[in-house]
Amino acid sequence: MIFVFIVSSCSVTKKTKQQEVIVEKEDKCKYETFTSRYKGSYNGIPFKIQVRAAHDSVIWCSLSALSMEAGRMLITNDSVFVMNKINKEVYKKSKNELSILLQEDLSNPVLEKMIVDSLSFEKHLSLKTKPLIDLVIKKTIDKNYNQNYNINLSLGKTKYLLDVLQESIEYNKTQQYPFNIPSSYKIK
């Protein structure tokens, strides 16, 4: 689950499978909420990611593989929570701390823009403190406005290469952002 930002140079009309959405340079958002679904695979194992957001408020993500939810992420205006359901762990960091460590703006509007904008980009993020993280995200848009993400992630000595395709995006639907931490989970 990745964080990047891009800047629009002009107004763009983007046609998705469900509807048309207009993204403007002035950051005047044309939605209150959105839900986006992605699919990909890692080492032949298919996975799905669902992202939900309320504009400028909360971003919620769920990662599922092999018919089970493997993890969740909740991004509020001041914190990031990552729940690893396989290892029963939750990581909590302040967005201010992460922004300083990564030297990047991680505000919710910036993160939302990464998801809904119909522009290609490449972004490199690196964290040199433990855990060592190196992340390169390349987003490409084809002529039908399909969004593809190539993700190269290094966590310490472990490397992950992922190709992720956006399946759908819907706007202004009522949604929930469930994120309850079980008492048996270790908070780091």
Side-chain angles (χ1 to χ4, degrees), residues 149-166:
Y149 296 84
N150 296 322
I151 301 163
N152 185 342
L153 173 63
S154 296
L155 297 173
K157 295 180 180 180
T158 306
K159 296 184 185 273
Y160 302 91
L161 299 173
L162 307 169
D163 288 316
V164 180
L165 172 66
Q166 184 181 53

Side-chain angles (χ1 to χ4, degrees), residues 5 10 13 16 18 38 43 49 58 63-64 66 71 73 82 85 87 103 120 132 135 139 151-152 157 159 168 181 183:
F5 72 95
C10 59
T13 301
T16 65
Q18 280 79 27
Y38 302 85
N43 285 342
I49 300 171
V58 63
L63 170 67
S64 298
L66 301 174
M73 181 172 8
V82 178
K85 289 190 160 195
N87 295 326
Q103 298 180 1
S120 298
L132 299 175
L135 175 66
K139 176 181 176 182
I151 301 163
N152 185 342
K157 295 180 180 180
K159 296 184 185 273
S168 66
I181 302 171
S183 59

Side-chain angles (χ1 to χ4, degrees), residues 77-150:
N77 284 327
D78 62 358
S79 300
V80 176
F81 301 85
V82 178
M83 182 185 299
N84 178 337
K85 289 190 160 195
I86 295 169
N87 295 326
K88 297 185 178 184
E89 299 172 330
V90 175
Y91 300 89
K92 177 185 177 187
K93 290 284 185 192
S94 81
K95 280 174 82 176
N96 186 44
E97 180 184 355
L98 286 173
S99 291
I100 291 168
L101 288 171
L102 294 171
Q103 298 180 1
E104 293 289 339
D105 180 2
L106 298 178
S107 65
N108 283 16
V110 167
L111 299 176
E112 290 171 29
K113 196 170 180 66
M114 179 219 45
I115 298 167
V116 300
D117 266 1
S118 57
L119 297 174
S120 298
F121 67 86
E122 185 167 331
K123 190 68 178 167
H124 184 212
L125 300 173
S126 191
L127 182 59
K128 301 298 181 196
T129 61
K130 287 190 176 183
L132 299 175
I133 299 171
D134 194 55
L135 175 66
V136 178
I137 305 160
K138 184 176 181 183
K139 176 181 176 182
T140 56
I141 311 294
D142 67 20
K143 64 183 178 182
N144 296 319
Y145 295 100
N146 295 315
Q147 298 183 16
N148 299 292
Y149 296 84
N150 296 322

